[in-house]
Amino acid sequence: MAKAPFPSEDMALTTILVVSDMAKSKDFYQNVLGAEIYREYGGDSCVLQFLGNWILLVTSGGPTKDKPEIQFMPPKNPNDVSHSFTIRVKDCMGCYETLKERGANFLTPPVDWGAEIRAFFTDPDGHLFEISQV
């Protein structure tokens, strides 16, 4: 069997987020974040395009033949983070105001750290997002 180059230009990376309520999550990603729905599958998964990246929203699911020990679950505790997104912006305060108006749930207003201004918000399941101005 021939080896394939890895990575290569024809590949793309998709982030999978497990959500508890697909309708609520789709609303957030479309109307708050501004992502575009690319494709939906049977009500339990939705592919989004956002800032040149793919995000796949899926509902909970148990083991399968190709992942026999794995359970897909939304975050149990939003204060325990193992994955987050950072969105680089030119105007943190302006983006904060726009996202807040659209319904984003920010942890605090933007904080100026000198070299960076940033603020964190969550999706309906607690997945963490940061807007960051450097």
Short mmCIF file of all heavy atoms in Angstrom, two decimals, residues 61-106:
data_model
loop_
_atom_site.label_atom_id
_atom_site.label_comp_id
_atom_site.label_asym_id
_atom_site.label_seq_id
_atom_site.Cartn_x
_atom_site.Cartn_y
_atom_site.Cartn_z
N GLY A 61 -23.52 10.61 21.97
CA GLY A 61 -23.55 9.29 21.35
C GLY A 61 -22.58 8.35 22.03
O GLY A 61 -21.58 8.77 22.60
N GLY A 62 -22.91 7.09 21.94
CA GLY A 62 -22.10 6.07 22.59
C GLY A 62 -21.04 5.49 21.68
O GLY A 62 -20.82 5.97 20.56
N PRO A 63 -20.39 4.44 22.15
CA PRO A 63 -19.33 3.79 21.40
C PRO A 63 -19.82 3.29 20.04
O PRO A 63 -20.99 2.96 19.87
CB PRO A 63 -18.91 2.62 22.29
CG PRO A 63 -19.33 3.02 23.66
CD PRO A 63 -20.58 3.83 23.47
N THR A 64 -18.89 3.24 19.10
CA THR A 64 -19.15 2.67 17.78
C THR A 64 -18.01 1.70 17.46
O THR A 64 -17.02 1.63 18.19
CB THR A 64 -19.20 3.77 16.69
OG1 THR A 64 -17.96 4.47 16.69
CG2 THR A 64 -20.35 4.73 16.94
N LYS A 65 -18.16 0.98 16.36
CA LYS A 65 -17.15 -0.01 15.98
C LYS A 65 -15.76 0.61 15.83
O LYS A 65 -14.76 -0.02 16.16
CB LYS A 65 -17.59 -0.68 14.67
CG LYS A 65 -16.76 -1.85 14.28
CD LYS A 65 -17.41 -2.70 13.19
CE LYS A 65 -17.65 -1.94 11.93
NZ LYS A 65 -18.09 -2.79 10.81
N ASP A 66 -15.68 1.86 15.36
CA ASP A 66 -14.38 2.48 15.14
C ASP A 66 -13.89 3.32 16.33
O ASP A 66 -12.79 3.84 16.31
CB ASP A 66 -14.38 3.33 13.86
CG ASP A 66 -15.50 4.36 13.84
OD1 ASP A 66 -16.40 4.30 14.69
OD2 ASP A 66 -15.48 5.22 12.94
N LYS A 67 -14.71 3.45 17.36
CA LYS A 67 -14.29 4.10 18.61
C LYS A 67 -15.01 3.37 19.77
O LYS A 67 -15.89 3.91 20.43
CB LYS A 67 -14.55 5.61 18.61
CG LYS A 67 -15.93 6.04 18.22
CD LYS A 67 -16.05 7.56 18.28
CE LYS A 67 -17.45 8.01 18.01
NZ LYS A 67 -18.53 7.38 18.73
N PRO A 68 -14.60 2.12 20.02
CA PRO A 68 -15.36 1.22 20.90
C PRO A 68 -15.46 1.63 22.37
O PRO A 68 -16.35 1.14 23.06
CB PRO A 68 -14.63 -0.11 20.75
CG PRO A 68 -13.29 0.22 20.23
CD PRO A 68 -13.43 1.48 19.45
N GLU A 69 -14.61 2.49 22.86
CA GLU A 69 -14.65 2.88 24.27
C GLU A 69 -15.07 4.34 24.48
O GLU A 69 -15.08 4.82 25.60
CB GLU A 69 -13.26 2.67 24.91
CG GLU A 69 -12.73 1.26 24.80
CD GLU A 69 -13.49 0.29 25.69
OE1 GLU A 69 -13.88 0.68 26.80
OE2 GLU A 69 -13.69 -0.86 25.25
N ILE A 70 -15.39 5.05 23.42
CA ILE A 70 -15.58 6.50 23.47
C ILE A 70 -17.05 6.88 23.56
O ILE A 70 -17.87 6.40 22.81
CB ILE A 70 -14.95 7.17 22.21
CG1 ILE A 70 -13.48 6.79 22.07
CG2 ILE A 70 -15.17 8.68 22.22
CD1 ILE A 70 -12.58 7.28 23.18
N GLN A 71 -17.34 7.79 24.48
CA GLN A 71 -18.68 8.38 24.65
C GLN A 71 -18.58 9.85 24.24
O GLN A 71 -17.71 10.57 24.73
CB GLN A 71 -19.12 8.32 26.12
CG GLN A 71 -19.20 6.95 26.70
CD GLN A 71 -20.57 6.34 26.54
OE1 GLN A 71 -21.53 7.02 26.18
NE2 GLN A 71 -20.67 5.05 26.78
N PHE A 72 -19.45 10.32 23.36
CA PHE A 72 -19.51 11.74 23.02
C PHE A 72 -20.52 12.39 23.96
O PHE A 72 -21.70 12.03 23.96
CB PHE A 72 -19.95 11.92 21.56
CG PHE A 72 -18.81 11.90 20.58
CD1 PHE A 72 -17.70 11.09 20.75
CD2 PHE A 72 -18.87 12.68 19.46
CE1 PHE A 72 -16.67 11.07 19.84
CE2 PHE A 72 -17.84 12.67 18.53
CZ PHE A 72 -16.74 11.87 18.71
N MET A 73 -20.04 13.36 24.76
CA MET A 73 -20.88 14.02 25.75
C MET A 73 -20.60 15.52 25.74
O MET A 73 -19.44 15.92 25.57
CB MET A 73 -20.56 13.48 27.15
CG MET A 73 -20.67 11.98 27.31
SD MET A 73 -22.36 11.40 27.31
CE MET A 73 -22.91 12.03 28.86
N PRO A 74 -21.62 16.34 25.96
CA PRO A 74 -21.35 17.77 26.12
C PRO A 74 -20.59 18.01 27.43
O PRO A 74 -20.56 17.11 28.29
CB PRO A 74 -22.73 18.42 26.15
CG PRO A 74 -23.67 17.33 26.52
CD PRO A 74 -23.03 16.03 26.10
N PRO A 75 -19.97 19.18 27.59
CA PRO A 75 -19.23 19.44 28.83
C PRO A 75 -20.12 19.23 30.05
O PRO A 75 -21.28 19.67 30.07
CB PRO A 75 -18.82 20.91 28.69
CG PRO A 75 -18.87 21.20 27.24
CD PRO A 75 -19.94 20.33 26.68
N LYS A 76 -19.59 18.56 31.06
CA LYS A 76 -20.35 18.35 32.30
C LYS A 76 -20.29 19.58 33.19
O LYS A 76 -21.24 19.91 33.87
CB LYS A 76 -19.81 17.12 33.05
CG LYS A 76 -20.10 15.83 32.34
CD LYS A 76 -19.56 14.65 33.11
CE LYS A 76 -19.84 13.38 32.32
NZ LYS A 76 -19.31 12.20 32.94
N ASN A 77 -19.13 20.22 33.22
CA ASN A 77 -18.94 21.40 34.07
C ASN A 77 -18.26 22.47 33.22
O ASN A 77 -17.10 22.33 32.85
CB ASN A 77 -18.07 21.04 35.27
CG ASN A 77 -17.84 22.21 36.20
OD1 ASN A 77 -18.11 23.38 35.87
ND2 ASN A 77 -17.31 21.93 37.37
N PRO A 78 -18.97 23.58 32.91
CA PRO A 78 -18.37 24.61 32.07
C PRO A 78 -17.15 25.30 32.69
O PRO A 78 -16.42 26.00 32.00
CB PRO A 78 -19.51 25.61 31.85
CG PRO A 78 -20.51 25.33 32.90
CD PRO A 78 -20.33 23.89 33.32
N ASN A 79 -16.89 25.07 33.96
CA ASN A 79 -15.70 25.63 34.60
C ASN A 79 -14.46 24.76 34.40
O ASN A 79 -13.36 25.17 34.76
CB ASN A 79 -15.95 25.86 36.09
CG ASN A 79 -16.97 26.95 36.32
OD1 ASN A 79 -17.05 27.92 35.56
ND2 ASN A 79 -17.79 26.79 37.34
N ASP A 80 -14.65 23.55 33.87
CA ASP A 80 -13.54 22.67 33.53
C ASP A 80 -13.38 22.70 32.02
O ASP A 80 -14.24 22.22 31.30
CB ASP A 80 -13.82 21.23 33.98
CG ASP A 80 -13.89 21.09 35.49
OD1 ASP A 80 -13.30 21.92 36.20
OD2 ASP A 80 -14.56 20.14 35.95
N VAL A 81 -12.29 23.27 31.54
CA VAL A 81 -12.10 23.46 30.10
C VAL A 81 -10.92 22.63 29.61
O VAL A 81 -9.83 22.69 30.17
CB VAL A 81 -11.85 24.96 29.78
CG1 VAL A 81 -11.54 25.15 28.31
CG2 VAL A 81 -13.06 25.79 30.19
N SER A 82 -11.15 21.85 28.56
CA SER A 82 -10.06 21.12 27.91
C SER A 82 -9.88 21.57 26.47
O SER A 82 -8.95 21.12 25.80
CB SER A 82 -10.33 19.61 27.96
OG SER A 82 -11.47 19.30 27.20
N HIS A 83 -10.75 22.45 26.00
CA HIS A 83 -10.68 22.95 24.63
C HIS A 83 -11.32 24.33 24.60
O HIS A 83 -12.35 24.54 25.23
CB HIS A 83 -11.44 22.00 23.69
CG HIS A 83 -11.49 22.46 22.28
ND1 HIS A 83 -10.48 22.21 21.40
CD2 HIS A 83 -12.40 23.18 21.61
CE1 HIS A 83 -10.78 22.73 20.23
NE2 HIS A 83 -11.95 23.33 20.33
N SER A 84 -10.71 25.26 23.87
CA SER A 84 -11.33 26.57 23.70
C SER A 84 -10.93 27.14 22.35
O SER A 84 -10.00 26.65 21.71
CB SER A 84 -10.93 27.53 24.84
OG SER A 84 -9.57 27.85 24.76
N PHE A 85 -11.64 28.17 21.93
CA PHE A 85 -11.38 28.85 20.66
C PHE A 85 -10.94 30.28 20.96
O PHE A 85 -11.51 30.94 21.84
CB PHE A 85 -12.65 28.94 19.81
CG PHE A 85 -13.17 27.62 19.35
CD1 PHE A 85 -14.12 26.94 20.09
CD2 PHE A 85 -12.73 27.06 18.17
CE1 PHE A 85 -14.62 25.73 19.66
CE2 PHE A 85 -13.21 25.85 17.73
CZ PHE A 85 -14.16 25.17 18.47
N THR A 86 -9.95 30.77 20.23
CA THR A 86 -9.55 32.17 20.31
C THR A 86 -9.79 32.81 18.96
O THR A 86 -9.34 32.29 17.93
CB THR A 86 -8.06 32.31 20.69
OG1 THR A 86 -7.86 31.73 21.98
CG2 THR A 86 -7.64 33.78 20.72
N ILE A 87 -10.51 33.92 18.97
CA ILE A 87 -10.79 34.68 17.76
C ILE A 87 -10.02 35.98 17.86
O ILE A 87 -10.28 36.80 18.75
CB ILE A 87 -12.31 34.96 17.61
CG1 ILE A 87 -13.09 33.64 17.64
CG2 ILE A 87 -12.58 35.76 16.34
CD1 ILE A 87 -14.59 33.83 17.84
N ARG A 88 -9.04 36.17 16.98
CA ARG A 88 -8.26 37.41 16.96
C ARG A 88 -9.10 38.49 16.31
O ARG A 88 -9.65 38.30 15.22
CB ARG A 88 -6.96 37.23 16.18
CG ARG A 88 -6.03 36.23 16.79
CD ARG A 88 -5.30 36.82 17.98
NE ARG A 88 -4.43 35.80 18.56
CZ ARG A 88 -4.16 35.73 19.83
NH1 ARG A 88 -4.65 36.61 20.67
NH2 ARG A 88 -3.37 34.80 20.30
N VAL A 89 -9.22 39.63 16.98
CA VAL A 89 -10.04 40.74 16.49
C VAL A 89 -9.22 42.03 16.52
O VAL A 89 -8.23 42.13 17.24
CB VAL A 89 -11.33 40.90 17.33
CG1 VAL A 89 -12.19 39.64 17.25
CG2 VAL A 89 -11.02 41.22 18.79
N LYS A 90 -9.64 43.01 15.73
CA LYS A 90 -8.97 44.31 15.73
C LYS A 90 -9.50 45.23 16.81
O LYS A 90 -8.81 46.13 17.26
CB LYS A 90 -9.11 44.97 14.35
CG LYS A 90 -8.33 44.27 13.28
CD LYS A 90 -8.43 45.00 11.97
CE LYS A 90 -7.60 44.28 10.93
NZ LYS A 90 -7.55 45.00 9.67
N ASP A 91 -10.75 45.02 17.22
CA ASP A 91 -11.40 45.90 18.19
C ASP A 91 -12.18 45.04 19.19
O ASP A 91 -13.34 44.70 18.98
CB ASP A 91 -12.34 46.87 17.46
CG ASP A 91 -13.12 47.78 18.38
OD1 ASP A 91 -12.90 47.75 19.62
OD2 ASP A 91 -13.96 48.54 17.87
N CYS A 92 -11.53 44.67 20.27
CA CYS A 92 -12.13 43.78 21.26
C CYS A 92 -13.40 44.38 21.86
O CYS A 92 -14.42 43.71 21.96
CB CYS A 92 -11.12 43.44 22.35
SG CYS A 92 -11.65 42.12 23.45
N MET A 93 -13.35 45.65 22.26
CA MET A 93 -14.52 46.27 22.88
C MET A 93 -15.69 46.34 21.89
O MET A 93 -16.83 46.06 22.26
CB MET A 93 -14.18 47.66 23.41
CG MET A 93 -15.30 48.29 24.21
SD MET A 93 -15.91 47.30 25.62
CE MET A 93 -14.64 47.60 26.81
N GLY A 94 -15.42 46.69 20.64
CA GLY A 94 -16.47 46.75 19.64
C GLY A 94 -17.08 45.38 19.38
O GLY A 94 -18.31 45.24 19.28
N CYS A 95 -16.25 44.34 19.26
CA CYS A 95 -16.75 42.99 19.06
C CYS A 95 -17.52 42.50 20.28
O CYS A 95 -18.55 41.83 20.15
CB CYS A 95 -15.60 42.04 18.74
SG CYS A 95 -14.88 42.32 17.11
N TYR A 96 -17.03 42.85 21.45
CA TYR A 96 -17.74 42.52 22.69
C TYR A 96 -19.16 43.09 22.66
O TYR A 96 -20.13 42.39 22.94
CB TYR A 96 -16.95 43.07 23.89
CG TYR A 96 -17.70 43.10 25.19
CD1 TYR A 96 -17.84 41.95 25.96
CD2 TYR A 96 -18.24 44.29 25.68
CE1 TYR A 96 -18.52 41.98 27.18
CE2 TYR A 96 -18.90 44.33 26.89
CZ TYR A 96 -19.05 43.17 27.64
OH TYR A 96 -19.72 43.21 28.83
N GLU A 97 -19.28 44.37 22.30
CA GLU A 97 -20.60 45.00 22.25
C GLU A 97 -21.50 44.33 21.22
O GLU A 97 -22.68 44.08 21.48
CB GLU A 97 -20.46 46.50 21.95
CG GLU A 97 -19.81 47.30 23.07
CD GLU A 97 -20.58 47.29 24.38
OE1 GLU A 97 -21.82 47.09 24.38
OE2 GLU A 97 -19.94 47.48 25.43
N THR A 98 -20.95 44.02 20.04
CA THR A 98 -21.74 43.36 18.99
C THR A 98 -22.22 41.99 19.44
O THR A 98 -23.41 41.66 19.33
CB THR A 98 -20.90 43.21 17.70
OG1 THR A 98 -20.56 44.51 17.23
CG2 THR A 98 -21.67 42.46 16.62
N LEU A 99 -21.30 41.18 19.97
CA LEU A 99 -21.67 39.83 20.40
C LEU A 99 -22.61 39.85 21.59
O LEU A 99 -23.54 39.04 21.67
CB LEU A 99 -20.41 39.03 20.71
CG LEU A 99 -19.56 38.66 19.50
CD1 LEU A 99 -18.19 38.16 19.94
CD2 LEU A 99 -20.27 37.61 18.64
N LYS A 100 -22.38 40.76 22.51
CA LYS A 100 -23.26 40.87 23.68
C LYS A 100 -24.69 41.23 23.24
O LYS A 100 -25.67 40.66 23.73
CB LYS A 100 -22.71 41.92 24.64
CG LYS A 100 -23.41 41.97 25.97
CD LYS A 100 -22.69 42.91 26.91
CE LYS A 100 -23.50 43.04 28.17
NZ LYS A 100 -22.93 44.01 29.09
N GLU A 101 -24.79 42.14 22.28
CA GLU A 101 -26.10 42.54 21.75
C GLU A 101 -26.81 41.36 21.08
O GLU A 101 -28.03 41.24 21.13
CB GLU A 101 -25.92 43.67 20.74
CG GLU A 101 -27.20 44.23 20.19
CD GLU A 101 -26.93 45.40 19.26
OE1 GLU A 101 -26.61 46.49 19.77
OE2 GLU A 101 -27.01 45.19 18.03
N ARG A 102 -26.04 40.47 20.47
CA ARG A 102 -26.61 39.29 19.82
C ARG A 102 -26.95 38.17 20.81
O ARG A 102 -27.51 37.16 20.43
CB ARG A 102 -25.62 38.73 18.79
CG ARG A 102 -25.41 39.61 17.60
CD ARG A 102 -24.42 38.93 16.67
NE ARG A 102 -24.04 39.77 15.56
CZ ARG A 102 -23.08 39.45 14.70
NH1 ARG A 102 -22.41 38.30 14.83
NH2 ARG A 102 -22.79 40.25 13.71
N GLY A 103 -26.54 38.32 22.07
CA GLY A 103 -26.88 37.33 23.08
C GLY A 103 -25.74 36.50 23.62
O GLY A 103 -25.97 35.54 24.35
N ALA A 104 -24.49 36.85 23.29
CA ALA A 104 -23.35 36.10 23.83
C ALA A 104 -23.28 36.26 25.34
O ALA A 104 -23.50 37.34 25.87
CB ALA A 104 -22.04 36.57 23.19
N ASN A 105 -22.95 35.18 26.02
CA ASN A 105 -22.85 35.14 27.48
C ASN A 105 -21.38 35.30 27.88
O ASN A 105 -20.65 34.33 27.97
CB ASN A 105 -23.42 33.82 28.00
CG ASN A 105 -23.35 33.71 29.50
OD1 ASN A 105 -23.38 34.70 30.21
ND2 ASN A 105 -23.24 32.49 29.99
N PHE A 106 -20.96 36.55 28.12
CA PHE A 106 -19.57 36.83 28.50
C PHE A 106 -19.35 36.58 29.98
O PHE A 106 -20.22 36.85 30.81
CB PHE A 106 -19.20 38.28 28.15
CG PHE A 106 -18.84 38.47 26.71
CD1 PHE A 106 -19.82 38.75 25.78
CD2 PHE A 106 -17.53 38.33 26.29
CE1 PHE A 106 -19.50 38.91 24.44
CE2 PHE A 106 -17.19 38.49 24.95
CZ PHE A 106 -18.18 38.78 24.02
#
